[in-house]
Amino acid sequence: MNKQQTIIIGSGPAGYSAAIYLGRSGYTPIIIEGLQPGGQLTTTTTIENYPGFPNGIDANELMDNMRQQAINFGAIIKTESVVSADLNKKPYTLTLDNEEKIITETIIIATGATAKYLGLKEEDKYKGLGVSACATCDGFFYRKKVVAVVGGGDTACEEASYLSNIASKVYMIVRKPQLRASKVMQERVFNNPKIEILFETNTINLFGENKLEGATLVFRKGLPDEKTYNLTIDGFFLAIGHKPNSEIFKPWLDTDSEGYIITKYPTTQTNLPGIFAAGDVADPIYRQAINAAATGCKAAMDAEKYITHNL
């Protein structure tokens, strides 16, 4: 077993930012990168809303730069994943997928959240080429184009309303005969002339040559008046929720009803001493790279303060 002072679990903007700050403070944090180095951000293409890049920057390049910056300040990268955790008592024990066990006094959890998809194979094919799970991130690329938003809750209504300021036309694909969003959000989309709601509709296929060109939809699937048709669109936005990657920590950490780790505002401290949470795993609202990076900075400063006063 290896005993370490600080372990960062996750390698998105939150994890790398935490490592940069801890490294500059003289620590040697270990980053457990996990299955998706760079985090969810690497599933998109060009990032145009991250400050400091007036012409935008490729998402993978941005995350590679953050990774190298963390290494330059002394961070150690492990490409394995954490498969189990024992947070019953200090020091804490983490088990990696290569069966290595790490004992640590301090943990920063930055495992992110995974967008929920419909499960169509074409979603992966067109990811970054018309398929997105973040209207705020990618909406700009669909200026004056036709897009569709999948979902019927508050998030879907918010995404559709946001996109209506950019796109020429927004379809909402809703599998139920009504929206489940709040009344205020329902009124907002009903009264928006650029939004058309397709109730009782399911997406069964996406198509296009080199990028997304349309979706195959089914109206009232399985019923006598079932109808299948193609809808021409340039963008397809998933707004059916996110799943925070917190499962292995839930036996010990306080989470909300969706699984997001609860922190003690305004800090990143969880309910256990020496364990902090940063980025999307603790953020059910904003889910932006810049916000994740900021909370990674906060987690590093909180961890440094904890180490100074307790270890």
Side-chain angles (χ1 to χ4, degrees), residues 3 16 83 99 103 108 139 159 173 236 242 277:
K3 186 172 181 180
Y16 288 147
V83 294
E99 299 185 356
I103 296 177
I108 294 175
E159 302 269 90
I173 302 172
F236 186 78
H242 285 72

Side-chain angles (χ1 to χ4, degrees), residues 5 8 11 20 28 76 99 106 110 114 121 125 147 159 198 210 221 240 260 306:
Q5 202 166 47
I8 299 168
S11 57
I20 290 167
T28 306
I76 296 172
E99 299 185 356
T106 312
T114 304
K121 63 180 180 182
K125 178 180 179 181
V147 300
E159 302 269 90
L198 307 176
N210 298 317
K221 186 177 181 180
I240 53 178
Y260 289 93
Y306 175 84

Side-chain angles (χ1 to χ4, degrees), residues 247-293:
E247 200 64 34
I248 64 173
F249 310 110
K250 287 172 74 172
W252 297 278
L253 298 184
D254 292 341
T255 61
D256 68 10
S257 59
E258 299 295 319
Y260 289 93
I261 297 174
I262 296 171
T263 56
K264 297 180 180 179
Y265 182 83
T267 74
T268 60
Q269 173 70 57
T270 67
N271 59 294
L272 290 183
I275 299 184
F276 309 88
D280 287 10
V281 73
D283 178 11
I285 301 173
Y286 300 104
R287 296 193 296 268
Q288 297 296 302
I290 187 170
N291 198 62

Side-chain angles (χ1 to χ4, degrees), residues 10-13 16 33-34 36-43 59-60 63-64 67:
S11 57
Y16 288 147
E33 276 193 321
Q36 192 176 40
Q40 187 178 197
L41 199 66
T42 58
T43 64
N60 285 279
M63 298 318 300
D64 285 346
R67 185 181 194 270

Side-chain angles (χ1 to χ4, degrees), residues 18-274:
I20 290 167
Y21 271 78
L22 283 170
R24 288 188 75 250
S25 297
Y27 297 93
T28 306
I30 291 179
I31 303 174
I32 313 297
E33 276 193 321
L35 295 174
Q36 192 176 40
Q40 187 178 197
L41 199 66
T42 58
T43 64
T44 188
T45 51
T46 303
I47 305 297
E48 294 193 326
N49 56 0
Y50 200 91
F53 302 96
N55 298 313
I57 184 171
D58 177 81
N60 285 279
E61 182 183 356
L62 176 62
M63 298 318 300
D64 285 346
N65 288 347
M66 284 191 183
R67 185 181 194 270
Q68 188 57 54
Q69 192 172 359
I71 292 171
N72 289 351
F73 285 118
I76 296 172
I77 306 285
K78 282 184 172 288
T79 57
E80 290 79 19
S81 299
V82 176
V83 294
S84 67
D86 183 357
L87 310 182
N88 192 48
K89 61 181 183 348
K90 286 177 59 66
Y92 305 116
T93 302
L94 302 173
T95 302
L96 308 187
D97 54 5
N98 63 355
E99 299 185 356
E100 178 185 356
K101 291 187 182 296
I102 299 177
I103 296 177
T104 181
E105 298 285 348
T106 312
I107 300 173
I108 294 175
I109 300 171
T111 47
T114 304
K116 295 178 182 177
Y117 286 81
L118 296 175
L120 305 175
K121 63 180 180 182
E122 295 85 2
E123 287 174 314
D124 282 332
K125 178 180 179 181
Y126 297 113
K127 199 174 286 184
L129 298 171
V131 171
S132 171
C134 180
T136 308
C137 309
D138 301 325
F140 178 81
F141 300 111
Y142 299 92
R143 187 170 296 277
K144 297 183 178 179
K145 294 184 178 182
V146 179
V147 300
V149 175
V150 180
D154 279 348
T155 299
C157 290
E158 288 172 2
E159 302 269 90
S161 298
Y162 174 81
L163 289 166
S164 72
N165 296 317
I166 300 170
S168 61
K169 173 80 174 181
V170 180
Y171 291 100
M172 286 187 69
I173 302 172
V174 184
R175 62 186 178 87
K176 294 186 177 181
Q178 73 281 325
L179 296 174
R180 55 182 176 83
S182 61
K183 186 176 180 181
V184 171
M185 292 307 301
Q186 290 191 40
E187 290 177 353
R188 187 173 299 174
V189 296
F190 284 140
N191 295 328
N192 191 321
K194 293 176 72 175
I195 298 175
E196 180 178 343
I197 305 174
L198 307 176
F199 287 113
E200 297 184 84
T201 301
N202 288 276
T203 306
I204 60 171
N205 186 43
L206 301 173
F207 59 87
E209 287 295 324
N210 298 317
K211 60 182 179 63
L212 179 72
E213 296 175 7
T216 303
L217 308 179
V218 179
F219 172 69
R220 290 174 64 83
K221 186 177 181 180
L223 298 176
D225 57 347
E226 176 182 312
K227 177 185 174 185
T228 301
Y229 62 99
N230 289 335
L231 181 70
T232 300
I233 53 174
D234 302 292
F236 186 78
F237 289 84
L238 282 302
I240 53 178
H242 285 72
K243 184 180 185 299
N245 302 319
S246 62
E247 200 64 34
I248 64 173
F249 310 110
K250 287 172 74 172
W252 297 278
L253 298 184
D254 292 341
T255 61
D256 68 10
S257 59
E258 299 295 319
Y260 289 93
I261 297 174
I262 296 171
T263 56
K264 297 180 180 179
Y265 182 83
T267 74
T268 60
Q269 173 70 57
T270 67
N271 59 294
L272 290 183

